[in-house]
Amino acid sequence: MEKIEKLRNMTSIYLLCEDKMLLLYRQGSRVVNDVWVGSAGGHFEESELNDPEACVLRELEEELSITKDMIVDLELKYITLRRMGELRQNYYFFAKLPNGTGMQLISDEGQLKWFPIEQVSELKMPFSAGFVVEHYLKTGRYDHAVYGGMANGQTVTFVELTDYSR
């Protein structure tokens, strides 16, 4: 009988300002290292297991000292699932940080940098995040849909998660 895998829940937020996206060059992490990731993110605390927005807002404040009232248009856009000895479920949020490019933002997680939106897809990112950002730039930024993504080792396949409740 195969052992039941653990589930790792994580969030990430990508901040935008005008035609730029803020990314973090992650260094010193045991999970992802020497790649560009979202502006802030991390693992769920036990009290957040059913509230990914609470997790991402806590991480944003802890890592960048940015509070919910400093951002606009916060949206959960992607939920991905990937099997890697554990099941990794990632919740990807996007939001706007008005006048953010002028803020002096620092992170002890790595180097923060604003990129022109057209350069973002050229950067080295973690597997699922790279596909999320690519899909967001081509499709997701033009709608208010939420997408589910299943990773198979080669790619991530996205499906719009529609509300079919009665």
Side-chain angles (χ1 to χ4, degrees):
M1 188 164 120
E2 193 173 329
K3 182 181 177 198
I4 297 174
E5 297 173 83
K6 298 280 184 179
L7 178 63
R8 181 185 299 254
N9 287 297
M10 298 171 283
T11 61
S12 188
I13 187 167
Y14 291 82
L15 295 176
L16 300 134
C17 183
E18 298 172 10
D19 61 346
K20 294 185 177 166
M21 183 181 287
L22 181 66
L23 296 173
L24 173 74
Y25 189 72
R26 190 74 184 250
Q27 299 169 304
S29 169
R30 61 182 166 80
V31 179
V32 291
N33 199 28
D34 297 333
V35 291
W36 291 97
V37 297
S39 311
H43 298 90
F44 282 53
E45 298 291 335
E46 191 172 322
S47 64
E48 300 164 338
L49 287 180
N50 292 317
D51 193 350
E53 184 176 304
C55 178
V56 82
L57 289 172
R58 176 186 53 76
E59 292 284 355
L60 185 61
E61 187 168 1
E62 285 177 3
E63 294 179 13
L64 299 179
S65 299
I66 295 174
T67 57
K68 185 176 183 177
D69 62 322
M70 297 168 71
I71 59 174
V72 294
D73 300 332
L74 176 66
E75 285 187 294
L76 171 62
K77 293 294 297 175
Y78 297 90
I79 304 166
T80 62
L81 192 58
R82 183 176 182 202
R83 186 176 181 188
M84 297 185 56
E86 64 186 2
L87 294 174
R88 292 187 179 181
Q89 188 165 290
N90 289 277
Y91 296 83
Y92 294 91
F93 289 82
F94 289 78
K96 293 179 184 147
L97 182 62
N99 304 315
T101 56
M103 294 178 69
Q104 295 297 319
L105 298 170
I106 57 168
S107 173
D108 60 3
E109 306 279 334
Q111 173 192 351
L112 289 166
K113 184 176 177 183
W114 287 100
F115 285 93
I117 203 98
E118 64 272 2
Q119 291 179 5
V120 171
S121 60
E122 301 167 11
L123 302 171
K124 182 180 175 188
M125 296 183 180
F127 184 81
S128 296
F131 285 99
V132 163
V133 168
E134 181 182 334
H135 189 274
Y136 177 80
L137 294 175
K138 290 179 181 173
T139 305
R141 68 178 165 158
Y142 301 109
D143 62 34
H144 294 288
V146 177
Y147 296 92
M150 298 295 291
N152 69 7
Q154 305 295 319
T155 189
V156 176
T157 303
F158 294 101
V159 175
E160 183 178 342
L161 302 175
T162 57
D163 184 356
Y164 59 91
S165 60
R166 295 173 214 195

